[in-house]
Amino acid sequence: MTDAPTGREERFFALVLPALERAGYTAYGAQAKLVADTGMNKTTVSRLLRGETIPHVKSFPALARALGLDPVELLVAAEIVPPEYLESQQTLSETDRSQVGSGSITPEEAAEQLGIHDDVGKFTFYAVVDKLTNRDDADDATPGDATAQA
């Protein structure tokens, strides 16, 4: 018998399950495509599609890309980072459009500008930046080594 879903799981699946359906991953035989598109294993994908388990955070960038979602939305829905991170990101994109792409900054500078000050939040942010920059040597580097675009 499985445990009842927590509020965290309910929020995560309320975001992810409709996105999975919109992206066509709930159709018969689509599980293998989701495995291929995200790199998650079959068991994790099966449990995700049944709304049983939130996957590991390292899968969030690929899952977000496959579903057409913002990885930060997944982090917020899974309560890995507080909602203020998403609000900070939206505020930046809505009010400082003229500065987007104006130069490179480090992930550390980006975290500071976004108001991410706690160690867990910084580590998670750096890991997402590293994953999203698709660096070939990402497995060998420590989070925070990459240069991010602001």
Side-chain angles (χ1 to χ4, degrees):
M1 184 169 156
T2 60
D3 294 332
T6 64
R8 170 181 176 254
E9 290 167 335
E10 288 174 354
R11 281 186 291 283
F12 183 83
F13 290 119
L15 173 66
V16 171
L17 293 178
L20 285 163
E21 188 170 344
R22 282 191 306 272
Y25 291 114
T26 58
Y28 180 77
Q31 180 174 334
K33 181 167 174 32
L34 187 58
V35 167
D37 291 350
T38 62
M40 291 188 289
N41 67 46
K42 289 180 185 180
T43 302
T44 300
V45 167
S46 178
R47 296 184 80 197
L48 172 68
L49 290 168
R50 289 193 311 263
E52 294 177 357
T53 301
I54 296 174
H56 191 279
V57 69
K58 70 182 179 182
S59 303
F60 283 18
L63 181 60
R65 220 176 4 264
L67 300 181
L69 297 172
D70 183 336
V72 178
E73 289 180 280
L74 296 178
L75 292 168
V76 170
E79 295 182 4
I80 294 168
V81 297
E84 294 81 33
Y85 291 175
L86 185 57
E87 293 165 8
S88 295
Q89 183 183 33
Q90 289 171 341
T91 301
L92 175 63
S93 64
E94 291 168 4
T95 61
D96 291 337
R97 291 182 186 267
S98 63
Q99 295 181 15
V100 173
S102 61
S104 295
I105 62 171
T106 66
E108 291 82 2
E109 291 168 329
E112 181 66 30
Q113 289 181 18
L114 290 170
I116 303 170
H117 301 292
D118 63 285
D119 290 339
V120 173
K122 285 181 183 179
F123 179 81
T124 303
F125 178 76
Y126 300 155
V128 170
V129 169
D130 281 346
K131 183 68 175 176
L132 292 176
T133 57
N134 292 318
R135 298 176 330 142
D136 293 332
D137 59 344
D139 292 334
D140 299 330
T142 56
D145 284 351
T147 299
Q149 294 291 323

